[in-house]
Amino acid sequence: MRRRSYISQYLKDLVPVAFELETAREFQAFGTGPAQFKVKLNRDIPKRELLRSTSLALGEAYIRGDVEIDRDLYEVLDMFLGQIEHFRLSPAALHGLLHSSLAAKKQQQEVSSHYDIGNDFYRLWLDETMSYSCGYFKNPGDSLFEAQVAKADLILKKLHLEMGMTLLDVGCGWGFLLMRAARRYGVKGVGITLSKEQYQQFSKEIKEQHLEGFLEVRLMDYRELPKSGLQFDRVVSVGMLEHVGRGNYGMFLKHIGEILKPGGLFLLHFISAQKEHAGDPFLRKYIFPGGVIPSLREVVDLLPEYDFRTLDVESLRLHYTRTLLCWLDNFRKHRERITKERGEEFVRMWELYLAACGAAFHQGIVDLHQILMSKGVNNELPMVRVV
């Protein structure tokens, strides 16, 4: 009987359904029943790379075009990532990748590497709000735009805003949340970001929408907040905690507490994990350098140390799966243009990122939580939950 190659056994142990594998030397079928998909390997993947990291080895092979599949990428990854507990990872071999510096300058460079690749690029596949975070699909037929507006409104309702209040958005992106808050509630807001492209676009929007009397945006690190002299009634942070880094969560919460008025509310919206881990090697190398997903429990455990009282915790996990699939669909509609401007490998890398993240949320590998908390005791809020 012909001896199977290493990659054959490797994939057999990871894929829970029937599939076919074709290489230059062999064609094999695995599992029982009809094959769910076919993998064509155009070039061997070194065994040492497969042993070092499953996600990095297969991800890089896919980017290069060494791996092809005959079924939708998300569908295949949704099956494949259900086996993530069997993925190989050598922390020692990838220590430098999985444990980067938490210094402010280094983190600024990491944020810039992702968010400053061009507003025009993001505009192609995000919705009109330019929201690069989980939407909130209240109704089955909601569009991505409707879901992003609903997400902003959900957050603003949870914050119990009133006319004249001050609101800080830490990691404000392109500014939609603050602009929505200013127009609907008459609050005065400040947004801070490390992305020069986001800062420039948001500054332009403030002027064009005549919101100068209500909003301002600053190119600023959260570590600079205590020295700013600013104080706020409300603080929100959407999708920024993932860039803070394990080891800095306490400092982040301390600085938020220092600029939040007693009884003030803080809504923290972040991708979370069940347990603490250093991160995925592929995502850290190609998509989010330095990015770490905190566990829900490590964040909640820190809150009492900085006098934050937990008021509400909500999971939006499946909303993020749907959001990512909307982004992936939009991205594919502009595939030809993006390929022409940035190259085939860039496109395959981003398709893989969006599809893999969608599958990761669907499989419960990661979650999305919103935590509403108060600085000290607040007895003035309604006793019923916002719906």
Side-chain angles (χ1 to χ4, degrees), residues 74 78 81 134 270-272 293 316-322 324 355-369:
Y74 167 76
D78 195 36
L81 291 181
C134 176
F270 65 104
I271 298 173
S272 60
I293 296 175
L316 301 181
R317 178 176 61 84
L318 291 179
H319 292 269
Y320 219 157
T321 295
R322 187 166 168 185
L324 281 151
C357 286
F361 280 101
H362 188 244
Q363 291 294 330
I365 297 165
V366 287
D367 208 319
L368 188 290
H369 281 98

Side-chain angles (χ1 to χ4, degrees), residues 124 328-337:
L124 287 176
L328 181 60
D329 183 57
N330 290 344
F331 186 91
R332 285 171 170 167
K333 289 175 182 177
H334 298 282
R335 195 184 199 284
E336 184 176 347
R337 173 178 170 178

